[in-house]
Amino acid sequence: MSADKTVIRFAGFLLALLLCASFIPQWGLFMLTIVLANGLVVLGCLLFLRAGLVSFGQALYFCFGAYTTGLAANFLNVTDVFLLLLMSAVTSGIMAWLLGVLLSKYRAIFFGLLSMAFSMILYGLLAKTESLGSTDGFNVPAVTILGYEPSSESVRVSILAVAALLALLAVSFGQAFLKSPMGLLLTAIRDNEIRVEYMGASAQKTIHTIYVIGGVFAGLAGSIVAVSVGHIDPTMAVWTTSGEFVFITIMGGIGSVIAPFLGALAFGIIHTVAFSESPNTWQLVLGTALIGIIYILPDGLWSLLSRLRGDKK
Amino acid sequence: MSAPILNVKDLNKSFGAVTAAHDISVAIQPGTCTGLIGTNGAGKTTFVNMITGYLKPDTGSIEFNGQNITKMTPRDISRIGVTRSFQIPQLYASMTTLENLEMGFGVLALMRNKRGLFVGSDKPVPGYGNQTIRQLAEEAMERFGLSAFRDQVTRTLPGGTRKLIDIAMAMATKPKVLLLDEPTSGVSSEEKFDIMDMVMRVVKADGTTVLFVEHDMEIVSQHADRVLAFYDGTIIVDEPPESALKNELVLQYIVGNTQALSTTGQNDA
């Protein structure tokens, strides 16, 4: 499948979703917004996994992006969602760049656990900061979209539209990146880092680059979730949140830039249904579903679509 | 005589009590083909590792075209034009032959183009006219006789083919100096002459300076125009192959031992 086709099909799916939005209940629109936000974070995790790395710390940037949006909206009176998104992307990107200087030197379990340690530091700091609501967090005021103030009826679909636009831009970027030499290098790094270095390429620089990209994606997702939920708290940085992103990455697979969104959709549906049907044991249902997917589709849900389409790989 | 392309001075390297290189000094002229011979543990691979930045010498210096590369990383040394192949081929095992070579030329495109982040395999590589990454990879496969293995995942290929891909990937960086670490080890005796003929044809056509580690003296005599014989971390003989391979020191310390080793199928450590 060519790059354009993947992006065009994803755009078509999002457009169809928005056109059908009036038939989707409010809770469904909310769930889909969270699905797109999760997909955005997982797109970053996909880049890491292509390079053979698993981050248990993407919640750091997810939370950092959300708090940037919350703080800017509360203390700087910024209301435009695009400006808030930009601010979250920049702060998360800078944070990822700084931590990436260190993390890009580590591989395997060390990379995963070090990234988790940083996210837990942020969680600890936020949970102990009374001025930011400690463990209770704080509310995020209503936002505007390029001057348009959505009504209470249209706010869900408006934020979903913004999330869809972001997801589309991220998928377009991700697709172009993965087809570029630097994107192809990710698999090369996973396969043989010695050869990468002797080809004259820098594995560390490449990992640093994707770490920043992953941080920006997670920061954007955190911002979207903050304006969508209207409330943020430190649990956004806790390691189980990062675990959910890894969970979705494995569910969706890493075969395509669309896979994270497919995984996030499956996760969202299973999570929502399991939580409403069995509120005390929903994790059990989710875990069983993941085991089933790994057993039947070890390359993730995306591989099912590839198989149905008759792809060779 | 022109200025040496590679100038090694007083190189020393020890691993604990073991001396792997002792006061090695040698100058390599551009466009030449030098055979490195010696028994296992004589210091040949350590010499190759030090020149290509994999190991740092304890003392001494290495200059490439007058530039001191002693403390440079393998990546930076490769970028300026000195690269290598490996005893055990270092390939991207999950990728096909084509993808391995595209990766090589893709990196080249990335380095030569500041906007290379988004150079697709259908885009020209700077400095190669209108040739794209794909075309360069196809051409490399043809030159090394790898076209039949184009779409096969490299982990499934036989040893000799993997060796050729390893060397083709090293050549994709367009090196001025290529170091081949036992290019025919682990390859059947019928295959190894074909492999060396093919490799030498390509590297000589490109004017690449070659240093190769080899245990088979027939291959050394066929392809080298200079022989460096290593023993116990030092160069004991530095002569053209016609005289080097008849040198008493070589006959005493290397040839007998190498023949004994080749019959047991052992490789250099």
Side-chain angles (χ1 to χ4, degrees):
Chain A
M1 185 187 281
S2 74
D4 289 334
K5 277 184 185 168
T6 304
V7 177
I8 288 168
R9 283 180 188 179
F10 187 62
F13 169 76
L14 292 175
L15 190 64
L17 190 72
L18 291 173
L19 288 174
C20 298
S22 55
F23 303 105
I24 302 172
Q26 292 289 307
W27 66 265
L29 296 175
F30 174 73
M31 189 199 83
L32 287 168
T33 306
I34 302 300
V35 162
L36 292 176
N38 282 343
L40 211 54
V41 186
V42 174
L43 188 54
C45 295
L46 176 146
L47 299 181
F48 301 160
L49 207 54
R50 285 267 179 119
L53 297 167
V54 178
S55 167
F56 284 103
Q58 285 316 91
L60 167 74
Y61 306 103
F62 183 64
C63 184
F64 208 70
Y67 268 73
T68 301
T69 288
L71 291 170
N74 277 295
F75 298 106
L76 302 176
N77 297 319
V78 179
T79 58
D80 186 73
V81 72
F82 288 108
L83 194 53
L84 290 169
L85 282 167
L86 181 67
M87 292 169 89
S88 294
V90 170
T91 55
S92 301
I94 291 170
M95 176 66 100
W97 188 87
L98 288 171
L99 296 184
V101 172
L102 179 70
L103 277 161
S104 59
K105 294 176 183 170
Y106 291 89
R107 303 290 181 269
I109 192 70
F110 305 102
F111 177 86
L113 291 184
L114 201 56
S115 62
M116 186 173 86
F118 282 120
S119 77
M120 290 311 289
I121 289 172
L122 179 68
Y123 170 74
L125 286 173
L126 292 174
K128 296 290 177 193
T129 308
E130 282 183 28
S131 57
L132 295 180
S134 300
T135 51
D136 291 337
F138 59 90
N139 290 333
V140 179
V143 293
T144 59
I145 302 166
L146 300 172
Y148 163 68
E149 218 170 303
S151 63
S152 57
E153 291 81 34
S154 64
V155 68
R156 289 265 174 255
V157 73
S158 304
I159 294 172
L160 176 64
V162 173
L165 179 66
L166 266 187
L168 183 61
L169 290 174
V171 160
S172 310
F173 175 86
Q175 183 76 340
F177 180 77
L178 287 176
K179 297 280 179 191
S180 74
M182 190 179 258
L184 293 170
L185 262 184
L186 303 182
T187 315
I189 290 168
R190 187 191 66 198
D191 271 11
N192 196 331
E193 212 172 298
I194 291 175
R195 171 53 80 189
V196 169
E197 292 288 323
Y198 276 101
M199 299 299 293
S202 168
Q204 193 178 328
K205 192 176 158 191
T206 307
I207 288 170
H208 197 175
T209 304
I210 59 168
Y211 194 70
V212 174
I213 294 170
V216 169
F217 283 174
L220 287 168
S223 177
I224 278 288
V225 169
V227 297
S228 182
V229 177
H231 181 84
I232 50 176
D233 66 62
T235 55
M236 294 179 89
V238 89
W239 69 272
T240 49
T241 309
S242 296
E244 274 184 10
F245 297 137
V246 175
F247 192 106
I248 298 169
T249 312
I250 294 164
M251 259 182 136
I254 58 168
S256 161
V257 285
I258 310 294
F261 295 91
L262 187 66
L265 182 64
F267 179 87
I269 292 170
I270 297 169
H271 183 275
T272 306
V273 172
F275 195 75
S276 67
E277 296 300 319
S278 172
N280 294 322
T281 55
W282 64 271
Q283 293 99 328
L284 190 71
V285 177
L286 212 53
T288 310
L290 183 64
I291 291 168
I293 289 170
I294 289 173
Y295 185 71
I296 300 164
L297 301 165
D299 292 327
L301 289 167
W302 178 256
S303 64
L304 181 67
L305 288 189
S306 309
R307 225 182 278 176
L308 292 174
R309 271 206 328 263
D311 286 3
K312 282 177 187 170
K313 278 190 174 182
Chain B
M1 191 179 278
S2 58
I5 193 165
L6 210 55
N7 201 1
V8 176
K9 286 180 194 161
D10 305 324
L11 224 50
N12 285 284
K13 180 73 186 174
S14 297
F15 300 100
V18 179
T19 302
H22 180 67
D23 283 340
I24 294 179
S25 295
V26 62
I28 304 292
Q29 297 303 316
T32 55
C33 182
T34 306
L36 312 181
I37 61 170
T39 54
N40 293 337
K44 311 178 297 296
T45 297
T46 302
F47 179 70
V48 169
N49 283 343
M50 285 193 288
I51 289 175
T52 53
Y54 192 76
L55 289 175
K56 301 293 168 222
D58 298 334
T59 57
S61 69
I62 305 160
E63 286 179 3
F64 167 66
N65 274 340
Q67 182 182 0
N68 193 327
I69 61 168
T70 319
K71 291 181 178 170
M72 285 169 68
T73 62
R75 179 174 70 249
D76 291 335
I77 292 172
S78 291
R79 283 184 177 188
I80 61 168
V82 180
T83 197
R84 66 178 294 180
S85 71
F86 296 83
Q87 277 182 46
I88 300 166
Q90 297 292 325
L91 307 179
Y92 305 125
S94 71
M95 299 185 197
T96 64
T97 306
L98 176 70
E99 286 167 341
N100 267 268
L101 285 162
E102 279 192 338
M103 191 62 66
F105 289 107
V107 170
L108 198 67
L110 195 63
M111 288 189 298
R112 290 188 176 186
N113 189 341
K114 298 234 184 297
R115 295 178 294 107
L117 197 62
F118 292 109
V119 176
S121 60
D122 56 340
K123 299 285 190 302
V125 176
Y128 284 87
N130 286 324
Q131 280 190 293
T132 63
I133 293 170
R134 173 65 54 89
Q135 286 169 337
L136 286 167
E138 300 269 14
E139 186 186 277
M141 282 191 297
E142 209 169 298
R143 292 179 88 193
F144 282 92
L146 295 165
S147 299
F149 309 102
R150 182 185 189 274
D151 297 317
Q152 288 188 40
V153 175
T154 55
R155 79 159 76 86
T156 63
L157 296 172
T161 310
R162 287 163 55 80
K163 285 264 184 193
L164 276 174
I165 300 170
D166 191 51
I167 297 166
M169 286 183 73
M171 285 300 287
T173 64
K174 295 289 159 189
K176 293 180 180 71
V177 176
L178 175 66
L179 293 102
L180 304 169
D181 195 0
E182 299 197 26
T184 65
S185 70
V187 176
S188 70
S189 50
E190 298 82 37
E191 260 186 311
K192 62 185 177 184
F193 289 96
D194 293 341
I195 286 177
M196 278 308 282
D197 287 346
M198 173 128 15
V199 171
M200 287 304 163
R201 201 165 47 237
V202 174
V203 294
K204 281 183 177 167
D206 287 4
T208 311
T209 305
V210 179
L211 288 90
F212 69 103
V213 176
E214 183 56 60
H215 285 296
D216 191 309
M217 298 305 152
E218 204 178 329
I219 286 177
V220 174
S221 66
Q222 271 182 18
H223 296 287
D225 32 50
R226 180 183 179 185
V227 171
L228 301 179
F230 284 74
Y231 181 75
D232 213 11
T234 58
I235 295 174
I236 53 168
V237 172
D238 177 1
E239 292 173 11
E242 304 79 43
S243 55
L245 299 180
K246 290 175 190 160
N247 187 296
E248 250 181 57
L249 290 170
V250 171
L251 293 172
Q252 184 182 348
Y253 291 116
I254 300 169
V255 175
N257 286 324
T258 307
Q259 281 169 352
L261 284 171
S262 65
T263 57
T264 59
Q266 291 180 43
N267 290 326
D268 207 346

